[in-house]
Amino acid sequence: MTRRGRGLAPCLGLALLALAACGKKAQPVAPEVRAPQRVADLTGAVHDSVIELAWTPPVSRVDSTRLRDLALMRVFRVEDGGSGEPKAAMLVDGRIAGYAEMATIHADEPAPAFARGSRLVFADRQGLTFGQRYTYAVIAGDSRGRIGPPSARVSVTYVPAAEPPVDLVAEGGEREARLTWQAPARLIDGSAPTDPLAYEVLRAPSVDAEPTTLTRAPIAERAFVDRALENDRTYYYAVRAVRVVSGTTAYSAPSPRVAVTPRDMTPPSPPANLVAIPSERTVRLTWSPSPESDVAAYVVYRAAGGGAFERVGSTRAPTATFVDRDVARGTYRYVVTAQDSAARPNESGRSNEVRVSVP
C-alpha cells in the first residue's frame, strides 16, 4: 500500500462508523410519560347548595419536564349510598371508567370553572340528593391529546349546609374591628341544626372584592376581633357557618357584608410648660411640644377672669408658640391642647393653666 493509501485508511474507517451510527434510531419515548402529571391536590366540600371542587392545574409532565401546552381538564363523578370503598378511578380510552363526565374545562377559557388564586374552582349542582355520596376525579390533557393519570379521588357526602349567620355587627376601634353575630336557626333543607356550628370570618378590601378567610380554622365563638388594621380605611366583613357531618365539611353562604372603618382614638399627651408673656394688647405663649409623632396642631384657649375657656386660635405642629393679639386690658387665663392627624382628630387634655394681666 502506498503512503497515501495508508493515510486514507483511518479516515475511511471513521466515515464507515459514522454512517453506521446514523442508521440507528433514538430510543422511543412512551406517550404516557409525556402526558400531563396527575392533579395532586383535588379537594371537595359542600358550599351552600353545591359541591365545590378545587385543584391546581398541572405544570409538569409525567417525566417531570415542563408542561407548556395544557389544553383541558375533565371532571368525572360517580355516586353511591356511602357504604364501602368508592369506585376506583381507572383511565380507559381517555375517560374514567364507570364515572360520568360532569364538565370539560379548557385551560384558556376555564368556564364553567373559575380561578381562585392559583387554583381552579368548579361547582357541581347537577342532580344532587341529600345523603348521597359523590366521588370525583379529574384528568388533564395536552394539545396533542395525551391524557394524564386520574387525580386521587375525593368523596363528598351531600349534606345540607346551614343558612347564613344573622345579625352581623361590626364596630371599629383603634386599628381593629370587633364583630359579633348570631347563629342561623335552620339548615337549607328547613330543618334545625342538631350538631354544633363553627364559623369562618371573611374580609374584603371593597364591597365587590373577593373576600379572604381570616380564621385559620373555624371558630366556635360568635365573636371575633380583627387587629393590626389601618386606621381610617374601610373594611368589609362577612361570616359563614360551618358544619362537619360524615366526614364532609359544609359551608353556608356568607352573611350580608358589613362595613367598618377603624379610627385613631388615642389623643396625644397634653403640651407642657406653658408660659405666657403679656405686653400691650398682646400675649405671647410658648410651651413644650407633645412627644407623639402624629401631632398635627396645637389649639389655644383663653378665659377672661373666672369665665369659661374659648378657642382663640391654633398653630401647626411643630410650632410651639402663639401670639394672641388685640387683647383688651384685663386678666386672662390660657391653656393649650394638642390635636393629632387622624381623620377625626383626637384632642389632648389641657396643658398647665397660666394667668396674665394685659396692661
Side-chain angles (χ1 to χ4, degrees):
M1 181 180 291
T2 65
R3 181 179 299 177
R4 182 177 179 183
R6 287 195 299 269
L8 289 174
C11 296
L12 289 172
L14 289 173
L16 290 172
L17 287 173
L19 287 171
C22 290
K24 291 183 179 180
K25 293 184 178 179
Q27 187 70 24
V29 178
E32 58 269 20
V33 303
R34 296 294 294 162
Q37 285 185 353
R38 70 189 303 191
V39 169
D41 59 351
L42 179 64
T43 59
V46 174
H47 282 255
D48 194 18
S49 61
V50 305
I51 294 178
E52 188 174 283
L53 306 175
W55 68 92
T56 303
V59 295
S60 299
R61 300 184 184 276
V62 172
D63 63 1
S64 298
T65 59
R66 186 168 181 81
L67 175 62
R68 301 181 184 276
D69 61 340
L70 178 66
L72 54 82
M73 288 150 284
R74 291 193 177 105
V75 180
F76 290 84
R77 183 186 85 182
V78 67
E79 66 177 282
D80 57 45
S83 61
E85 184 71 12
K87 185 176 180 62
M90 303 291 293
L91 187 64
V92 178
D93 296 330
R95 302 177 61 84
I96 299 181
Y99 281 60
E101 183 173 342
M102 307 306 295
T104 297
I105 297 164
H106 296 276
D108 57 350
E109 185 59 49
F114 64 91
R116 181 182 291 158
S118 62
R119 288 163 66 81
L120 285 178
V121 178
F122 170 73
D124 180 18
R125 49 177 53 88
Q126 301 180 43
L128 300 174
T129 302
F130 288 130
Q132 283 289 92
R133 180 175 66 180
Y134 297 89
T135 299
Y136 298 87
V138 176
I139 59 175
D142 65 12
S143 61
R144 296 189 180 185
R146 293 175 291 211
I147 304 298
S151 68
R153 297 165 300 171
V154 61
S155 294
V156 179
T157 301
Y158 187 53
V159 297
E163 292 185 345
V166 297
D167 299 332
L168 175 61
V169 176
E171 296 181 352
E174 177 85 23
R175 299 190 65 200
E176 68 178 27
R178 298 181 295 274
L179 310 176
T180 59
W181 60 90
Q182 297 301 317
R186 293 183 300 275
L187 307 180
I188 62 172
D189 66 352
S191 63
T194 57
D195 46 285
L197 296 176
Y199 302 93
E200 284 190 340
V201 179
L202 312 175
R203 185 183 73 197
S206 67
V207 68
D208 298 321
E210 179 78 12
T212 57
T213 303
L214 297 181
T215 42
R216 294 183 179 179
I219 60 175
E221 299 81 11
R222 295 193 299 273
F224 181 79
V225 180
D226 189 16
R227 295 186 170 89
L229 301 178
E230 182 179 335
N231 285 332
D232 303 317
R233 175 182 174 184
T234 300
Y235 298 86
Y236 297 83
Y237 292 90
V239 179
R240 62 186 176 193
V242 183
R243 297 182 70 208
V244 179
V245 183
S246 302
T248 292
T249 302
Y251 299 89
S252 77
S255 67
R257 295 186 185 187
V258 296
V260 62
T261 305
R263 302 290 186 191
D264 181 350
M265 304 177 70
T266 303
S269 303
N273 304 318
L274 177 62
V275 174
I277 303 174
S279 59
E280 187 175 355
R281 299 183 63 82
T282 299
V283 177
R284 180 178 180 84
L285 304 170
T286 62
W287 58 88
S288 298
S290 302
E292 288 79 8
S293 61
D294 64 341
V295 173
Y298 295 98
V299 182
V300 178
Y301 294 88
R302 182 183 69 199
F309 281 104
E310 295 181 356
R311 177 172 174 158
V312 293
S314 63
T315 184
R316 288 182 176 273
T319 302
T321 61
F322 180 81
V323 178
D324 189 14
R325 305 180 188 279
D326 298 324
V327 182
R329 292 181 180 180
T331 300
Y332 299 92
R333 295 175 293 128
Y334 287 89
V335 293
V336 178
T337 63
Q339 282 188 342
D340 64 19
S341 57
R344 297 178 182 177
N346 298 291
E347 188 169 2
S348 74
R350 295 172 178 175
S351 67
N352 58 296
E353 181 180 311
V354 294
R355 179 185 293 266
V356 295
S357 295
V358 178

